Amino acid sequence: MDLTGIVIIVFIIAAVAGTITSVVLYYVRKEEKIRCYQAAANIVKEKYLRQSLKNPNFHVGDTSSIYDVRMMAYIKNISSKQKKGYVFDVGDGVSFGRKGNCNILLNESTVSGMHCMLFLDHDRVYLSDSSANGTELKRGLSRVNVHSCVYEVLSGDKIIVGSTVFRVTLFHFDGRVM
């Protein structure tokens, strides 16, 4: 077999391997997306249940404030081996820090008790930093040190708190279709 034949065979094998990898990644992302939407549905249902339990006069006609379009965030820890992700309703705020009342707990010496927070304002998500060491926001190739200020967060941005890196995926969840 000559060199041209070997190159063609290697090229075909690489193309097939690339195609298989693409298909596998597509289905992994699809499954992850389905889990995000299921988690968002559970969050909305839990809010409805809490509202019902707090107010015994709450009836089905009052669900418009619970079952509406909500901005949700899928926050995935991409710096650990387990790569765990969690879904949050950004309208409630998402806090990062060492304190027990934070949504995302980080046990690092460089992380403050209430380090930073994601919050919603006019259908936009912002990151506010209240720490001594600051928080980094990475978007593409640019990196900004958010220290005692507020920056808008877009889907796909990475938030670096201490030595932990989180990828944020923002999505709208329509609770009216549940």
Side-chain angles (χ1 to χ4, degrees):
M1 186 174 261
D2 63 342
L3 185 61
T4 308
I6 294 172
V7 169
I8 291 173
I9 291 173
V10 169
F11 179 73
I12 291 171
I13 291 171
V16 169
T19 304
I20 291 171
T21 304
S22 297
V23 169
V24 168
L25 286 175
Y26 169 79
Y27 283 108
V28 166
R29 287 185 191 126
K30 186 176 178 182
E31 286 296 317
E32 193 171 55
K33 190 175 186 180
I34 290 169
R35 285 195 305 272
C36 285
Y37 285 117
Q38 289 171 342
N42 289 339
I43 289 170
V44 172
K45 287 177 186 176
E46 287 173 15
K47 282 185 177 184
Y48 174 72
L49 180 61
R50 267 185 299 205
Q51 183 69 27
S52 305
L53 292 173
K54 284 182 188 176
N55 183 2
N57 298 324
F58 186 78
H59 57 84
V60 178
D62 296 335
T63 59
S64 61
S65 64
I66 302 293
Y67 289 113
D68 58 357
V69 178
R70 298 187 173 276
M71 177 65 78
M72 307 298 276
Y74 174 57
I75 301 174
K76 186 174 185 177
N77 181 343
I78 59 172
S79 59
S80 73
K81 289 182 181 179
Q82 294 178 334
K83 307 229 184 291
K84 288 189 175 183
Y86 302 95
V87 176
F88 295 97
D89 183 346
V90 185
D92 296 337
V94 182
S95 56
F96 297 75
R98 278 196 330 233
K99 284 186 180 177
N101 60 347
C102 290
N103 298 106
I104 298 177
L105 293 172
L106 298 165
N107 191 15
E108 293 183 34
S109 61
T110 58
V111 176
S112 302
M114 175 59 111
H115 196 88
C116 62
M117 182 169 205
L118 285 175
F119 65 94
L120 188 65
D121 186 29
H122 294 91
D123 208 31
R124 291 181 182 226
V125 178
Y126 294 95
L127 174 67
S128 69
D129 176 72
S130 56
S131 69
N133 295 329
T135 304
E136 289 189 19
L137 180 66
K138 187 172 188 286
R139 180 175 299 148
L141 297 175
S142 67
R143 190 176 234 173
V144 177
N145 189 351
V146 182
H147 187 63
S148 301
C149 55
V150 176
Y151 277 89
E152 184 177 3
V153 175
L154 302 176
S155 192
D157 285 355
K158 293 179 180 86
I159 298 173
I160 303 164
V161 181
S163 64
T164 309
V165 181
F166 298 96
R167 180 182 301 121
V168 179
T169 304
L170 302 173
F171 63 98
H172 286 92
F173 178 78
D174 191 351
R176 297 171 296 186
V177 297
M178 290 186 353

